[in-house]
Amino acid sequence: MYFCSTTRWAVMDKKVTYSDCIKKMEYYCSYQERCHQEVVQKLRSCPLTNLEQDEIVVHLIAYNFLNEERFAKTFAISKFHQKKWGNIRIKNELKQRQVIDRLIQSALRDISSEEYETTFEQLATKIWETISERNAMKKFKKCCDYLLRKGWETDLVYAKIKSLSEK
């Protein structure tokens, strides 16, 4: 009986084989999109040689379990829709996962500019209305800090918050 945790592979009765590792990595990549870095990190915890680990990565790419472009596009769209992240945050998170710039730019182009602007307007207005600070400068700062942490562009943030504060 085998089980796989994020830190190590445990073996009860038998030795973990190469084909067992392939099956586990296929499952790991099939239930959620993964980047190469996550897969390589997961493989480091299994009891295989570096050559065998490289062969598994090649196998996953060949059978389309692992696709960096698909990961980048899915990541960008989902973080934008679910967490309301801006382009800067999405780009930084993808760079942290060692996704190449060409794929990052391609993923960011999949977010329509109209939807991007609408989401920003709605988020900024909602945050402005929910902050219950009486001091106008503190409210301005809290709202700007929140939107900047979410990865929205500085010029958009300051222009929008300035217009909201003048109302």
Side-chain angles (χ1 to χ4, degrees):
M1 175 179 282
Y2 308 106
F3 74 90
C4 175
S5 69
T6 55
T7 55
R8 62 188 170 91
W9 294 62
V11 180
M12 302 282 273
D13 298 331
K14 304 178 194 174
K15 183 178 179 185
V16 175
T17 64
Y18 177 78
S19 62
D20 292 334
C21 289
I22 286 180
K23 287 176 187 169
K24 289 189 183 300
M25 293 310 296
E26 285 176 351
Y27 176 74
Y28 179 71
C29 292
S30 66
Y31 74 83
Q32 180 181 325
E33 287 296 334
R34 306 285 181 180
C35 66
H36 285 49
Q37 179 195 18
E38 292 170 328
V39 171
V40 169
Q41 185 176 4
K42 181 82 167 172
L43 279 169
R44 283 191 188 126
S45 66
C46 77
L48 297 174
T49 66
N50 288 339
L51 180 60
E52 289 173 325
Q53 291 175 8
D54 292 342
E55 288 173 1
I56 290 175
V57 171
V58 169
H59 169 82
L60 294 172
I61 293 169
Y63 288 92
N64 210 20
F65 285 100
L66 186 59
N67 184 320
E68 196 93 330
E69 182 176 9
R70 189 176 62 214
F71 168 77
K73 289 182 179 199
T74 303
F75 183 90
I77 291 290
S78 64
K79 294 302 182 186
F80 173 71
H81 285 130
Q82 294 171 4
K83 295 193 175 194
K84 309 288 188 240
W85 284 1
N87 284 343
I88 296 171
R89 176 83 184 261
I90 294 169
K91 184 177 181 179
N92 290 340
E93 293 287 334
L94 286 170
K95 278 187 176 183
Q96 187 177 350
R97 288 167 174 77
Q98 299 174 355
V99 176
I100 61 174
D101 286 333
R102 180 181 58 80
L103 296 179
I104 293 172
Q105 294 307 318
S106 174
L108 292 176
R109 279 192 298 272
D110 282 358
I111 301 170
S112 75
S113 58
E114 297 85 25
E115 187 179 12
Y116 189 78
E117 291 169 14
T118 303
T119 301
F120 173 72
E121 295 285 330
Q122 292 171 347
L123 182 63
T125 304
K126 179 182 174 189
I127 293 305
W128 182 259
E129 292 170 356
T130 57
I131 295 176
S132 60
E133 181 65 53
R134 291 181 189 252
N135 184 327
M137 289 305 291
K138 286 184 180 179
K139 185 173 183 174
F140 187 92
K141 182 178 179 350
K142 284 182 180 182
C143 195
C144 288
D145 288 349
Y146 177 84
L147 293 169
L148 292 173
R149 263 193 318 275
K150 287 279 197 175
W152 297 94
E153 290 80 356
T154 309
D155 55 336
L156 283 176
V157 170
Y158 289 126
K160 180 64 178 174
I161 301 306
K162 185 177 179 184
S163 72
L164 288 171
S165 65
E166 292 172 353
K167 288 183 180 178

